[in-house]
Amino acid sequence: MLDYAWLVLAFPAAGALLNTFLGGSLGRRAVGWLASGAVALAFLASLGLFAQLMGLPGHERSVTVHLWDWIRVGTFQVPAALLVDPLSVTMALVVTGVGTLIHVYSVGYMAEEPRYQRYFVYLNFFVLAMLVLVLSDNFLGMYVGWEGVGLASYLLIGFWFDRRDASYGYYADAGKKAFLVNRVGDFGMALAIMILWTGLGSVTFLEVFAGVEKLAAGTLTLASLLLLLAATGKSAQIPLYVWLPDAMAGPTPVSALIHAATMVTAGIYMIARTYPLWEAAPAASAVAAWVGGLTALLAATMALVQVDLKKILAYSTISQLGYMMLGVGVGAYAFAIFHLITHAFFKALLFLAAGNVMHGLHGELDIRRMGNLRARMPQTARLFTVGALALAGFPLTSGFFSKDSILFAAFERSPALYGLGLFTALLTAFYSFRAVFLAFWGRERDPDLFARAHESPAIMRGPLWILAGLALAGGGLNLPRVLPLLEHWLEPAVGALEIHAGLGLEMTLMAVGGLVALAGIYLAHARYVQEAAWAQGLAQGLAPLRPLLERGWYVEDLYRAAVVEPLWALARFSAQVVDRGIIDGTVNLVGQLHLLASDGLRRLQNGLIPTYALSLFVGVVVAVLYFVFG
Amino acid sequence: MNLSFLYENIHVLLPEAILFLGALAVVGADLLRPKDGDGRGLGALALLTVVAGLVGTAYIWGRPPATYLGGASLDGFALGVRVVVLTAAFFAVLLSMGYAPRITWQTGEYYALLLLATAGMSLLGATTELALLFVALETFSLALYVLTGIYRRNPRSAEASLKYFLLGGFASGFFVYGAALLYGAGGTTDLALLGQRLAAGEANTSLLWAGMALLLVGFGFKLSLVPFHMWTPDVYQGAPTPITAFMSVGTKTAALAGFIRVLGTALPAQQATWGWALAVLAVLTMTVGNLAALRQMSLKRMLAYSSIAHAGYILVALVPGTAQGTAAALFYLFAYGLMNIGAFAVVVALERTAENDVDQGGFRGMATLYPALAAAMAVFMFSLAGIPPLAGFFGKFLVFKAAVEGGWTWLAVLGVLNSAISAYYYLRITVAIYFDQAQAVPARNAWAGLNLGIALAALGTVLVGIYPSLWIALFQGLGG
């Protein structure tokens, strides 16, 4: 009955193929609408799957749709099959839903782009790969999607590969950095898959989960940690987060879709998808929780001092992904997915609004040159503020509920992690509204730029209003205790979280979370709008930390010195000494020796009959000696 | 006097008879032709004769084994040799049709000698008797001495002819001396009978070994095995190119056929002794041939050394003394015939007639000027280098396989290493054809026969490579 599930994949695939081969003759508008339509149809197909799953009793909401046998080599059997269950359908809805809005937005945003056709082909390809990732019923299929989204990300970060500026260097290099850093994580995933297959003889999720007890605890922990490594790459966590800020070199809708709403959440999805492994490997879960908590804090501190609007959002994304990682680490898979969804709404909204700012300011993204933009682009200002409210966790917005759910679950496991998350929430509210106040409030710092600023066309506002509505009301998906819709829905796929704390404690924590958000917003207001003396004094007091944060805690410098430079040195050694010197040298020496021998033989061939006869006669003598006396 | 024994089983030599009669017909037609004619009709007659020879071969194909006057036998091996020799002759006539009239007014003699040489080579595959073997050897050798020098205006041609004749005479002296010693050892010139007497211990072995050594020299000269090879580059370069193409394949096939007859029929039990001698000769020949080819500028000299190297590879197949080796050698010769004659045909197409040669520079940028010719040359070079899936690859594969299965793995390894060296000079030509800028526009020679010859050779090289099993089966069936 779910046999049509393949359509979800077929639509974006068809869109990418049609635009590749016919896009040139279709005309620009048609290319954009074709791509958007393909994703919209995939969204409708996902809705169909959703509706049908809803019609099933809870324990039957897991359907494997077998497409064909993909690999059959001895005992290595991999089907090409889709796993349709609440988790995968939820992800498919987010990917295609947010994806549709961003495709539509791109039609306007990329209107002047010469490589328009290529852009939409890549974007459709990304959606296809992401859907393969979330819908596959086995590790190998997920790996294909995992690599596919990595490729799409690489292609789109470096979309303007011929551009170069002070912030990113060559844009192509930003793409390469993302790809290479992700390779480290991908390697972990490949190893994990091999370990699981070696131990269990299967790569199908359900078969692996059924056999988890058969694995030794050490093996399981190792496999989980390798999966965690993969997740830290794709979802930009410590230690592999460094590629995401550079990924902002890509077009802004790409940042919204791939590097905020969907692809970067693949690591979170993967852990939620494989939760039976993590339940059985508590040590690995604990590592994930701490990685998430520390990443959330570290990235938030770095977001405090960024002056590029998109980079603020990039560090914020890393930080929010940290929350999600913290969520799956403490076993609150449903809450992590909840935050994943709300984050997709409000972060896509923030990026697209930032895209409008960039569009209206002719490419300028430095918030120090902005100010009072609400006068020139009032709708964008309102949209961005809505997104910032949700990000800050302003009470009753979607971000408030999802973040507090994770913090509550963390409090149950470890007060230290809760403290980390709460402090991060304060920083989050502060840096979100720092951006809002600097960009849209106050006075215009660059009158010239201000004068030329303009609001964006309707096609670049409509999708944002939808996202804004979702960002405000998305909390309704899962009102804790009152109406935990999402928790119930996901329960067959990710299990239920056992909650021991009472209602009173939960309400208290929620109130604390709301107050912290308000405090952060107030601090930003005092510092950047009122410019109150005490706030300035506080800023003065913290100024010594500024260089540290601006350098990103010297992490990149450390990587450069400890990893990049030694590898370069090794590469240079291999290329110049080993390859050119030893290998080429040996080969050339062999060749030269042969040529020398050739010259020698040529000299013997002097054209004189006596010489030739002598050679023949030597042969005669040797032959006779051999045969007669040998 | 009853002469009917002369006609008994005369079909054994049917192809040779056709070739011989064809040669006479060419001479006769030459007398009748108008003085201002260009001899094109003679070429057609020669081609017809060769085709008739092939038809004759097909006619006696598959008949029960028979012998004629105790000197020649009808067997699969003889048929296989004829296929290769007649194929080579077929291509040689095609290449000569526009060529011979340019270099000599004696086109009648040219074609008649070519057919006689073919008859001699063909006969060598059928003979089972030492005296006849020598006659056949000299028949084609004498014809080739003359043909080598038939381009009289070209001093190099005359020089080559004289060198070939003198050194050939020197070698033939050893050969006939060796044959005499073998006769002395066994009291017979019949190879099979000699083999029986050796097996029965009725032969004088010291005479036998001395005779064997001298026969080896005679065959080694014709096969251009190192150190009996030194005439090869000079003669190949000096001879008219179609003749070079013909003898590079025909001489080798015929001499090898005679060699296999002697070793396989008379001396199979002595394989342990001659196997080692052949192995050493094979290594020397492959190595010296390939090394010397590396630095040649003249394409004909390069192909001459290349043909020396190929003789070395073929010799590898004989070392184990197995039927499999014989079949592999015949297959190799067939493949080698197609690709090597093809390469010489491209030389014919590109050379300036007065120079009777083309140097490597002549190939620069050829791909842009003559794409089809360039592609054909690339096919020949890749095949000569032994790159799959072309004919040359399977030739080498079978030869080395026969060596490995006969227990001579080290020899096969050396053969493969040599093959790697050879890739350098073959691929250098391909690189010049496709990657260099054209320097000057070389005028390309073209006549229908030449174009047909190149096309057929290229097609054959590819087809034999794609369906090797067909040809392998053919020559394996003949190997015994």
Side-chain angles (χ1 to χ4, degrees):
Chain A
M1 77 169 199
L2 294 172
D3 289 342
Y4 64 89
W6 60 273
L7 279 175
V8 179
L9 300 177
F11 287 125
L17 287 175
L18 282 175
N19 270 338
T20 302
F21 292 107
L22 303 176
S25 52
L26 280 180
R28 297 166 62 82
R29 285 271 143 174
V31 167
W33 287 115
L34 176 70
S36 308
V39 183
L41 286 172
F43 178 66
L44 289 180
S46 307
L47 270 182
L49 294 178
F50 172 71
Q52 281 193 290
L53 276 193
M54 288 288 277
L56 291 173
H59 61 277
E60 285 178 21
R61 286 179 188 162
S62 172
V63 183
T64 301
V65 182
H66 185 89
L67 300 180
W68 69 85
D69 286 334
W70 179 25
I71 300 174
R72 301 174 72 87
V73 183
T75 59
F76 186 54
Q77 309 270 345
V78 187
L82 308 180
L83 178 60
V84 181
D85 75 348
L87 179 60
S88 64
V89 168
T90 305
M91 289 300 291
L93 283 172
V94 172
V95 170
T96 53
V98 177
T100 305
L101 295 176
I102 292 175
H103 272 69
V104 171
Y105 176 87
S106 296
V107 172
Y109 188 84
M110 300 298 275
E112 308 298 320
E113 169 60 42
R115 293 192 278 257
Y116 195 78
Q117 178 190 358
R118 184 187 300 187
Y119 173 82
F120 279 103
V121 170
Y122 287 171
L123 219 53
N124 268 187
F125 171 72
F126 165 75
V127 172
L128 170 66
M130 190 70 201
L131 289 169
V132 169
L133 196 167
V134 298
L135 284 169
S136 183
D137 91 319
N138 61 72
F139 278 99
L140 214 63
M142 180 167 74
Y143 189 64
V144 168
W146 190 271
E147 294 295 320
V149 294
L151 172 64
S153 163
Y154 162 76
L155 291 170
L156 284 162
I157 293 170
F159 184 71
W160 290 312
F161 52 83
D162 41 5
R163 287 194 195 172
R164 179 190 190 183
D165 65 25
S167 166
Y168 299 107
Y170 284 106
Y171 283 22
D173 285 345
K176 276 190 269 181
K177 181 172 175 184
F179 199 76
L180 290 173
V181 172
N182 266 297
R183 298 309 307 158
V184 179
D186 297 350
F187 189 62
M189 173 164 253
L191 285 178
I193 295 174
M194 291 177 209
I195 289 173
L196 290 173
W197 186 77
T198 311
L200 298 170
S202 174
V203 292
T204 308
F205 289 136
L206 298 179
E207 286 173 19
V208 169
F209 301 157
V212 161
E213 299 86 47
K214 283 185 244 162
L215 283 178
T219 311
L220 195 61
T221 306
L222 178 64
S224 301
L225 286 175
L226 286 167
L227 287 177
L228 178 62
L229 180 66
T232 62
K234 200 60 86 196
S235 292
Q237 301 291 294
I238 294 171
L240 298 178
Y241 67 87
V242 290
W243 63 273
L244 189 59
D246 287 282
M248 298 300 122
T252 304
V254 169
S255 308
L257 178 61
I258 302 184
H259 304 119
T262 57
M263 183 193 83
V264 289
T265 63
I268 310 301
Y269 162 77
M270 184 261 286
I271 294 177
R273 168 53 75 208
T274 59
Y275 86 97
L277 301 181
W278 302 82
E279 300 277 272
S285 287
V287 174
W290 278 98
V291 163
L294 289 172
T295 306
L297 176 65
L298 186 82
T301 61
M302 291 190 266
L304 293 174
V305 296
Q306 297 301 316
V307 292
D308 179 308
L309 193 56
K310 279 181 75 179
K311 290 222 167 156
I312 296 176
L313 296 177
Y315 281 106
S316 152
T317 301
I318 298 173
S319 177
Q320 296 301 307
L321 289 165
Y323 275 119
M324 297 174 213
M325 188 63 84
L326 171 61
V328 292
V330 298
Y333 305 103
F335 294 159
I337 298 295
F338 181 29
H339 195 54
L340 186 160
I341 296 168
T342 61
H343 177 258
F345 296 152
F346 64 71
K347 190 53 69 65
L349 170 63
L350 283 166
F351 265 113
L352 295 185
N356 281 359
V357 171
M358 198 172 169
H359 187 76
L361 296 182
H362 312 281
E364 183 58 55
L365 272 174
D366 189 336
I367 52 173
R368 290 170 304 185
R369 298 187 61 199
M370 299 176 190
N372 200 22
L373 285 179
R374 60 181 167 163
R376 306 292 299 191
M377 37 182 90
Q379 287 206 35
T380 298
R382 253 170 263 154
L383 289 163
F384 193 92
T385 309
V386 169
L389 284 171
L391 171 58
F394 190 84
L396 303 183
T397 59
S398 62
F400 169 75
F401 289 112
S402 57
K403 193 187 293 177
D404 273 321
S405 300
I406 290 176
L407 289 178
F408 173 59
F411 184 80
E412 289 246 302
R413 296 292 167 96
S414 152
L417 281 171
Y418 172 77
L420 213 61
L422 194 65
F423 182 59
T424 304
L426 178 72
L427 298 180
T428 306
F430 178 81
Y431 71 67
S432 321
F433 276 83
R434 169 177 174 261
V436 171
F437 293 141
L438 279 176
F440 298 101
W441 293 50
R443 61 197 155 73
E444 50 268 31
R445 292 182 198 78
D446 186 334
D448 191 39
L449 192 65
F450 182 78
R452 287 187 291 134
H454 61 83
E455 183 60 281
S456 297
I459 194 175
M460 291 168 66
R461 298 194 308 267
L464 275 67
W465 283 115
I466 298 174
L467 287 169
L470 292 167
L472 284 176
L477 284 176
N478 197 53
L479 296 174
R481 305 270 173 151
V482 188
L483 199 58
L485 292 173
L486 192 69
E487 270 179 84
H488 280 315
W489 162 246
L490 288 175
E491 203 178 303
V494 300
L497 180 67
E498 288 175 37
I499 291 173
H500 309 290
L503 183 65
L505 177 63
E506 189 171 355
M507 286 301 153
T508 313
L509 292 181
M510 201 177 263
V512 170
L515 287 174
V516 161
L518 291 172
I521 296 170
Y522 174 68
L523 264 176
H525 191 261
R527 167 78 177 83
Y528 296 106
V529 181
Q530 296 174 335
E531 302 188 353
W534 64 269
Q536 307 294 42
L538 189 63
Q540 285 295 321
L542 292 173
L545 282 175
R546 212 179 162 83
L548 177 69
L549 300 182
E550 278 173 346
R551 290 298 281 179
W553 297 90
Y554 294 93
V555 171
E556 297 241 23
D557 303 81
L558 176 71
Y559 284 1
R560 182 157 296 121
V563 181
V564 179
E565 287 304 330
L567 279 178
W568 270 116
L570 181 65
R572 271 192 297 269
F573 177 76
S574 303
Q576 279 156 22
V577 180
V578 178
D579 188 53
R580 227 176 280 168
I582 298 174
I583 295 176
D584 282 6
T586 312
V587 171
N588 289 339
L589 183 70
V590 171
Q592 287 302 323
L593 286 177
H594 282 94
L595 291 178
L596 272 177
S598 184
D599 285 336
L601 285 171
R602 214 159 52 141
R603 220 155 287 143
L604 281 178
Q605 189 81 29
N606 61 6
L608 299 178
I609 291 178
T611 314
Y612 294 5
L614 179 67
S615 161
L616 201 156
F617 192 69
V618 168
V620 172
V621 170
V622 173
V624 169
L625 285 177
Y626 172 78
F627 278 108
V628 177
F629 302 102
Chain B
M1 188 178 169
N2 183 7
L3 292 177
S4 66
F5 69 95
L6 280 178
Y7 306 106
E8 197 183 339
N9 281 341
I10 191 142
H11 69 273
V12 168
L13 293 180
L14 178 64
E16 289 74 25
I18 291 170
L19 291 166
F20 184 67
L21 290 175
L24 290 182
V26 168
V27 172
D30 189 31
L31 290 174
L32 298 176
R33 82 171 155 127
K35 285 212 172 63
D36 52 349
D38 63 355
R40 196 174 293 163
L42 297 174
L45 189 56
L47 196 65
L48 195 69
T49 307
V50 174
V51 172
L54 278 166
V55 172
T57 308
Y59 180 71
I60 58 173
W61 197 278
R63 296 202 177 197
T67 56
Y68 178 65
L69 295 181
S73 73
L74 170 60
D75 56 15
F77 181 73
L79 291 170
V81 171
R82 285 190 186 109
V83 169
V84 179
V85 167
L86 286 168
T87 307
F90 175 77
F91 281 106
V93 175
L94 283 182
L95 302 194
S96 300
M97 291 176 110
Y99 198 94
R102 291 192 200 175
I103 59 165
T104 177
W105 48 269
Q106 295 162 304
T107 36
E109 285 85 339
Y110 183 98
Y111 286 118
L113 288 168
L114 190 57
L115 292 174
L116 280 177
T118 311
M121 291 167 180
S122 177
L123 181 60
L124 202 56
T127 178
T128 55
E129 207 262 356
L130 266 177
L132 186 59
L133 201 148
F134 180 67
V135 171
L137 197 72
E138 286 307 298
T139 305
F140 81 74
S141 296
L142 287 167
L144 287 178
Y145 298 150
V146 180
L147 282 171
T148 301
I150 207 162
Y151 187 3
R152 284 197 264 166
R153 289 188 306 264
N154 185 319
R156 230 188 236 156
S157 177
E159 178 190 331
S161 177
L162 189 63
K163 274 184 186 166
Y164 194 19
F165 175 66
L166 284 175
L167 291 164
F170 194 44
S172 287
F174 288 111
F175 183 91
V176 77
Y177 196 2
L181 287 173
L182 273 195
Y183 175 73
T188 176
T189 55
D190 185 293
L191 293 171
L193 196 57
L194 185 62
Q196 285 164 20
R197 291 195 182 155
L198 281 172
E202 295 164 10
N204 180 333
T205 46
S206 56
L207 286 180
L208 170 82
W209 287 125
M212 176 63 221
L214 297 181
L215 274 185
L216 179 70
V217 174
F219 282 121
F221 177 84
K222 292 294 172 203
L223 282 171
S224 46
L225 304 180
V226 176
F228 317 111
H229 69 290
M230 298 197 77
W231 59 277
T232 313
D234 294 5
V235 172
Y236 276 27
Q237 192 183 15
T241 312
I243 299 302
T244 312
F246 175 61
M247 68 180 166
S248 73
V249 178
T251 308
K252 274 195 182 53
T253 308
L256 205 76
F259 206 16
I260 290 174
R261 284 277 188 210
V262 171
L263 294 176
T265 313
L267 302 162
Q270 283 74 23
Q271 187 270 343
T273 308
W274 54 255
W276 269 98
L278 294 196
V280 171
L281 280 176
V283 171
L284 268 178
T285 306
M286 290 188 288
T287 312
V288 170
N290 279 321
L291 285 178
L294 293 177
R295 277 291 170 99
Q296 300 302 324
M297 287 313 291
S298 147
L299 204 76
K300 281 171 83 177
R301 284 186 87 83
M302 189 202 94
L303 286 173
Y305 283 110
S306 137
S307 84
I308 294 172
H310 282 280
Y313 300 134
I314 298 169
L315 206 58
V316 168
L318 301 195
V319 169
T322 55
Q324 218 188 359
T326 310
L330 272 181
F331 180 89
Y332 196 106
L333 281 165
F334 184 66
Y336 170 75
L338 291 171
M339 61 199 183
N340 206 51
I341 291 181
F344 275 115
V346 175
V347 175
V348 170
L350 288 183
E351 73 181 23
R352 310 271 163 84
T353 310
E355 285 167 15
N356 187 27
D357 197 358
V358 58
D359 73 16
Q360 305 223 352
F363 286 89
R364 274 186 213 142
M366 191 178 120
T368 51
L369 297 169
Y370 311 117
L373 194 63
M377 188 63 175
V379 166
F380 300 138
M381 290 295 118
F382 279 124
S383 184
L384 283 167
I387 289 166
L390 299 168
F393 167 75
F394 286 101
K396 282 197 177 118
F397 174 74
L398 289 177
V399 162
F400 296 145
K401 183 166 165 258
V404 170
E405 285 175 1
W408 294 81
T409 308
W410 64 270
L411 193 57
V413 169
L414 285 177
V416 172
L417 286 178
N418 258 288
S419 189
I421 297 176
S422 75
Y424 172 83
Y425 57 85
Y426 294 129
L427 296 189
R428 201 162 56 141
I429 302 286
T430 318
V431 167
I433 288 174
Y434 282 100
F435 299 106
D436 285 356
Q437 292 289 319
Q439 300 271 314
V441 183
R444 176 213 193 291
N445 304 317
W447 55 88
L450 177 62
N451 292 343
L452 181 67
I454 294 173
L456 285 179
L459 194 69
T461 306
V462 174
L463 284 184
V464 171
I466 294 178
Y467 299 111
S469 49
L470 199 68
W471 303 93
I472 292 169
L474 178 69
F475 287 109
Q476 256 164 2
L478 299 173

